Amino acid sequence: MSSMILDGAIKKVSKDNVISVLKKLVSIPSMTGMEREISEYIFNTLSDWGISVQKNWVDKKRFNVVARIGTREKAHSLMFNGHVDTVYPETSEESFEPKIIGNKLYGFGSVDMKSGLSAMMETARILIDFENNMERGIIFSFVVDEERDGKGTLHLVKSGIRSNWAIVAEPTNMKIVPWQMGYLDVAVTIYGKPAHGSFPNRGLNAIYGVFKFLEFFADSKLFKVEDKIFGRASFNVNKIFGGSGQLIVPHQCRVEININLLPNQTESTVREEIAKILEILKEGGYISGFRISTSDYGPATKLNGDETIVRTICEVYRKILGVDPELSVMKSWTDTETLITKAKIPTIIFGPGDITIAHTPEEHVSIKDVLNATKVYVATALSLSHTST
């Protein structure tokens, strides 16, 4: 595609439109399970802009929004993917009222990932004017349920929606992300021995057993191996349940953790390591028994630097922003894993916002980054619309 067309498309990115849409998106609470209102807004807005858009129903209450540009051909070169749901606020300090201070927009969900959604919508608005210049189509998928079970993108894939490449618009701090760590949820139930709470030495406290397990687990070999690209694995303790609140030594305690995995770490290797630790604790008299359950396993994903989508977006980035992009690793699970492993679509992650402040009262995004991300999206989409596999 000619530089004249690309430059013309980039110049159409409207700061006012991007901010207006982003403010509206932030103002709509859209916690997982409550995505209907924001999905209707996206559907109606894209439709009003003259874009071909459909509702891809995931269940009786929720739907993905699927928009297509350049639909004359069945083949689609690129898919943009973004989730419309947010986590539930953790404190009372989170605000759904968008505020602009300087060149930053503050508001719950602004980072994860309504700034990416705004950039996707603006990209679609611009590309509709360049449909005749595109040899192959572009898909925009606005999906539900990413923050819980990933049902939205999974349903999208099961519906047969495909493209040659994909960009997930999650916050990457404007870094190009061809790599994503693996993910595994683990629940460990520790058993102790009940006794009267005034005589704790006659029992075996399962809560203490969980603390001991976490101490050993943090020091396990899983987190000592370092990969030259992915770094080290990590884990977070999500919940601990134990005790009855009565004057009884707790005989049972459950801890739920999620683990970010390296490419060579699998569900089975994690289970083996955890079981080994728990057997040691049992033999040492710290616990009387245990149970392990795992769920939501997704392997690490990795694209090569010479993959078309990686090469193209890096070239566009250099041209538009005038600097070399930094390649990085996504530490958190995203719908990228579903697109790569289930749909076999080479997928990268790229979007505005710093994920380290996502899910917090401090969420904010640089407006400049949202605009620059939009420009990169537009130029990448147009470039790939003329690229064959």
Side-chain angles (χ1 to χ4, degrees), residues 17 20 22 34 37 53 57 68 84 109 159 173 180 196 208 238 302 309 331 346 349 372 379:
N17 198 59
S20 175
L22 179 53
M34 301 171 58
E37 183 180 354
V53 61
W57 289 92
R68 291 178 172 86
V84 302
S159 300
N173 223 8
Q180 178 174 291
H196 192 289
Y208 292 170
N238 292 335
K302 182 178 179 181
I309 180 64
K331 299 290 185 178
I349 313 168
N372 282 337

Side-chain angles (χ1 to χ4, degrees), residues 32 71 110 136 152 317 330 348:
T32 308
T71 55
S110 58
R136 308 173 72 210
Y317 191 105
M330 175 57 74
I348 61 101

Side-chain angles (χ1 to χ4, degrees), residues 286-334:
Y286 294 104
I287 64 177
S288 65
F290 60 86
R291 186 174 73 247
I292 307 168
S293 63
T294 57
S295 60
D296 294 333
Y297 169 66
T301 60
K302 182 178 179 181
L303 294 190
N304 295 322
D306 60 352
E307 178 68 51
T308 300
I309 180 64
V310 179
R311 189 176 67 251
T312 301
I313 196 170
C314 285
E315 291 172 355
V316 167
Y317 191 105
R318 292 186 193 97
K319 181 179 185 300
I320 293 175
L321 302 184
V323 294
D324 287 331
E326 180 180 345
L327 300 186
S328 186
V329 175
M330 175 57 74
K331 299 290 185 178
S332 177
W333 185 90
T334 73

Side-chain angles (χ1 to χ4, degrees), residues 43-62:
F43 178 90
N44 291 332
T45 301
L46 294 177
S47 181
D48 289 344
W49 290 345
I51 296 168
S52 174
V53 61
Q54 295 176 317
K55 294 179 179 179
N56 177 254
W57 289 92
V58 176
D59 53 41
K60 293 181 179 180
K61 296 182 178 179
R62 301 180 298 170

Side-chain angles (χ1 to χ4, degrees), residues 81-348:
N81 175 280
H83 65 87
V84 302
D85 61 320
T86 70
V87 296
Y88 281 74
E90 188 72 15
T91 71
S92 60
E93 297 178 24
E94 282 87 352
S95 174
F96 297 102
E97 180 182 350
K99 295 181 180 178
I100 295 179
I101 302 175
N103 192 42
K104 298 176 181 178
L105 187 143
Y106 289 75
F108 190 65
S110 58
V111 171
D112 192 12
M113 56 165 290
K114 295 180 178 181
S115 58
L117 299 181
S118 176
M120 285 172 57
M121 292 175 70
E122 178 69 357
T123 300
R125 185 188 71 83
I126 291 167
L127 290 182
I128 196 69
D129 291 335
F130 292 85
E131 214 169 9
N132 293 332
N133 301 108
M134 298 163 57
E135 293 181 2
R136 308 173 72 210
I138 307 295
I139 299 175
F140 295 83
S141 56
F142 302 83
V143 300
V144 301
D145 199 68
E146 190 271 351
E147 295 288 2
R148 184 173 293 165
D149 299 314
K151 292 179 181 177
T153 295
L154 185 59
H155 187 271
L156 194 80
V157 168
K158 288 181 177 180
S159 300
I161 296 174
R162 293 291 187 276
S163 61
N164 293 118
W165 305 282
I167 296 175
V168 173
E170 290 271 14
T172 64
N173 223 8
M174 297 298 288
K175 298 175 183 178
I176 308 295
V177 178
W179 313 301
Q180 178 174 291
M181 296 192 78
Y183 183 95
L184 180 65
D185 281 334
V186 180
V188 176
T189 302
I190 299 288
Y191 298 103
K193 178 183 177 183
H196 192 289
S198 295
F199 304 94
N201 291 337
R202 297 179 65 87
L204 196 59
N205 195 311
I207 294 177
Y208 292 170
V210 163
F211 291 163
K212 200 68 177 177
F213 162 70
L214 291 174
E215 178 186 338
F216 276 56
F217 186 61
D219 194 46
S220 73
K221 64 180 183 180
L222 290 172
F223 309 107
K224 292 182 178 180
V225 178
E226 186 162 4
D227 184 273
K228 63 180 181 179
I229 291 177
F230 288 79
R232 298 190 181 192
S234 63
F235 75 96
N236 181 64
V237 178
N238 292 335
K239 291 182 181 179
I240 295 180
F241 308 87
S244 64
Q246 303 181 81
L247 195 57
I248 302 171
V249 174
H251 73 286
Q252 181 174 319
C253 186
R254 172 186 169 99
V255 59
E256 296 180 359
I257 59 181
N258 72 271
I259 311 172
N260 293 321
L261 304 170
L262 300 179
N264 62 340
Q265 295 173 332
T266 65
E267 183 176 9
S268 60
T269 60
V270 172
R271 287 187 69 106
E272 290 172 5
E273 185 66 17
I274 290 176
K276 187 184 301 183
I277 292 171
L278 291 170
E279 289 290 354
I280 291 173
L281 293 179
K282 185 178 179 181
E283 292 173 5
Y286 294 104
I287 64 177
S288 65
F290 60 86
R291 186 174 73 247
I292 307 168
S293 63
T294 57
S295 60
D296 294 333
Y297 169 66
T301 60
K302 182 178 179 181
L303 294 190
N304 295 322
D306 60 352
E307 178 68 51
T308 300
I309 180 64
V310 179
R311 189 176 67 251
T312 301
I313 196 170
C314 285
E315 291 172 355
V316 167
Y317 191 105
R318 292 186 193 97
K319 181 179 185 300
I320 293 175
L321 302 184
V323 294
D324 287 331
E326 180 180 345
L327 300 186
S328 186
V329 175
M330 175 57 74
K331 299 290 185 178
S332 177
W333 185 90
T334 73
D335 282 319
T336 299
E337 188 264 328
T338 301
L339 292 172
I340 289 179
T341 63
K342 302 293 192 304
K344 310 302 180 185
I345 300 173
T347 305
I348 61 101

